[in-house]
Amino acid sequence: MNLRFLRTVMAIAHSPSLSAAAHDLGISHSAVSQHIKALEDELRFQILDRSKRPPVLTGEGLALVEHARRIEDIAGDIRSLADGSRLRGQVRIGVVPSTVTNLAAPALATLCAAHPDLKIDLITALSERVLTQVVDGSLDLGLVTDPGSEDHDLTLTLICEEPVELIFSAADAAGDPFTLLTERPFVWFDRRSRLSQQIQGVLTEKNIRVRSAMEVDSFEAVTALVEHGLGVSMLPHRIGTPDPPGVRRRRLPWGSPARRVVLASRWASPRRLFAATLADALRGALATHQTSA
């Protein structure tokens, strides 16, 4: 099966017409038609529905696009092995929003500068959604909170552990942790997240009843509410992400969980070389933050 012909199918999937696909590939319209006809003869199914104008991919054609993307991923990794150091091809990555600023952005910038033939698609979502898409192949990699359960379809590489601490307004600095938690409103980060479930477990174990007041979907929103005196919360201490001047932190005397940030990939992923390189870049970003702190 000719890789050039498969790239033609992928180009058609992303183009409004065969002529546009031909232009993107730098070949003639007739060459595009020849590539598709050769694949149809080899595979013995119809890739294009030519009864429509312009022709569109059939259901089998769309399925072929997904397989072609995976083949291109593998080919990119093989070419990377051949030249020893260059990464190339397209990689689809999902990250939890709280890792973008201090981890994902600097690490990906480093990789893209070193490997100009690398193309990265990035989405942000909660860990559960990212992990689901890594397992089903929609994403190659996910930078997420450790799910805390074993999944034989996944390989999890630890990037860092972030201690969870009590955060409160500077105006509340005189209070002890128990008083702050029981007398001030509590601002939750998304209650569906594993992090909040861990925090709830610690509070329940210590028989601490908080007065739940607000729930928001980002660490930045939690911190802003706390800074303005609307309550207290518990969040990971992220290296390289300083708190606003009006926010204070305190370790809990009875201990608290740590958020484990991991890089998730399918155990048989063709992007293993990229996963290892990205893990090194993420740890490098952390080391840079620690050195400058």
Side-chain angles (χ1 to χ4, degrees), residues 14-35:
H14 293 96
S15 303
S17 66
L18 298 189
S19 296
H23 180 270
D24 291 343
L25 292 167
I27 60 178
S28 67
H29 184 286
S30 62
V32 168
S33 297
Q34 290 168 9
H35 291 180

Side-chain angles (χ1 to χ4, degrees), residues 148-227:
S149 57
E150 187 175 1
D151 189 325
H152 296 295
D153 293 325
L154 290 174
T155 297
L156 303 178
T157 301
L158 179 65
I159 301 302
C160 64
E161 289 188 303
E162 302 169 333
V164 175
E165 299 173 340
L166 175 66
I167 66 168
F168 49 94
S169 167
D172 294 325
D176 66 88
F178 183 84
T179 300
L180 290 172
L181 285 168
T182 54
E183 295 186 0
R184 298 286 289 130
F186 194 87
V187 181
W188 285 98
F189 171 66
D190 195 319
R191 297 289 290 268
R192 298 169 298 169
S193 68
R194 173 164 169 75
L195 172 65
S196 288
Q197 292 168 9
Q198 288 179 294
I199 291 171
Q200 182 64 73
V202 170
L203 295 174
T204 300
E205 180 185 344
K206 299 302 178 183
N207 200 28
I208 296 173
R209 294 182 130 186
V210 298
R211 180 157 53 94
S212 301
M214 301 179 187
E215 179 182 349
V216 290
D217 63 359
S218 74
F219 287 1
E220 288 72 22
V222 171
T223 304
L225 292 170
V226 170
E227 181 184 19

Side-chain angles (χ1 to χ4, degrees), residues 15-66:
S15 303
S17 66
L18 298 189
S19 296
H23 180 270
D24 291 343
L25 292 167
I27 60 178
S28 67
H29 184 286
S30 62
V32 168
S33 297
Q34 290 168 9
H35 291 180
I36 298 304
K37 184 65 170 58
L39 278 174
E40 288 178 331
D41 290 344
E42 179 181 358
L43 299 173
R44 299 184 181 178
F45 61 73
Q46 191 173 0
I47 296 172
L48 283 180
D49 182 352
R50 295 173 178 82
S51 68
K52 298 183 178 178
R53 291 291 179 268
V56 297
L57 291 168
T58 63
E60 291 85 354
L62 290 170
L64 178 61
V65 170
E66 294 305 312

Side-chain angles (χ1 to χ4, degrees), residues 132-145:
T132 297
Q133 293 189 359
V134 171
V135 171
D136 69 21
S138 302
L139 295 172
D140 296 306
L141 299 166
L143 186 63
V144 297
T145 300

Side-chain angles (χ1 to χ4, degrees), residues 81-292:
L81 290 172
D83 64 23
S85 61
R86 296 287 289 274
L87 295 172
R88 62 183 73 230
Q90 188 172 36
V91 184
R92 298 168 292 277
I93 304 173
V95 303
V96 291
S98 58
T99 64
V100 172
T101 302
N102 64 330
L103 279 175
L108 292 176
T110 298
L111 283 186
C112 288
H115 306 279
D117 295 326
L118 196 59
K119 298 175 183 175
I120 295 175
D121 291 340
L122 184 71
I123 69 158
T124 60
L126 288 178
S127 292
E128 183 178 0
R129 180 185 166 201
V130 171
L131 287 169
T132 297
Q133 293 189 359
V134 171
V135 171
D136 69 21
S138 302
L139 295 172
D140 296 306
L141 299 166
L143 186 63
V144 297
T145 300
D146 189 340
S149 57
E150 187 175 1
D151 189 325
H152 296 295
D153 293 325
L154 290 174
T155 297
L156 303 178
T157 301
L158 179 65
I159 301 302
C160 64
E161 289 188 303
E162 302 169 333
V164 175
E165 299 173 340
L166 175 66
I167 66 168
F168 49 94
S169 167
D172 294 325
D176 66 88
F178 183 84
T179 300
L180 290 172
L181 285 168
T182 54
E183 295 186 0
R184 298 286 289 130
F186 194 87
V187 181
W188 285 98
F189 171 66
D190 195 319
R191 297 289 290 268
R192 298 169 298 169
S193 68
R194 173 164 169 75
L195 172 65
S196 288
Q197 292 168 9
Q198 288 179 294
I199 291 171
Q200 182 64 73
V202 170
L203 295 174
T204 300
E205 180 185 344
K206 299 302 178 183
N207 200 28
I208 296 173
R209 294 182 130 186
V210 298
R211 180 157 53 94
S212 301
M214 301 179 187
E215 179 182 349
V216 290
D217 63 359
S218 74
F219 287 1
E220 288 72 22
V222 171
T223 304
L225 292 170
V226 170
E227 181 184 19
H228 286 82
L230 294 172
V232 301
S233 189
M234 292 171 63
L235 287 181
H237 190 172
R238 293 175 292 161
I239 297 171
T241 308
D243 291 317
V247 172
R248 300 289 182 269
R249 285 185 171 269
R250 188 173 298 169
R251 291 284 183 97
L252 297 173
W254 49 81
S256 61
R259 181 175 79 148
R260 290 168 51 89
V261 178
V262 298
L263 186 63
S265 61
R266 295 185 307 284
W267 73 268
S269 171
R271 308 321 305 264
R272 286 189 293 259
L273 177 60
F274 177 82
T277 307
L278 177 57
D280 288 341
L282 290 165
R283 295 189 186 105
L286 284 171
T288 299
H289 290 315
Q290 290 171 325
T291 301
S292 60

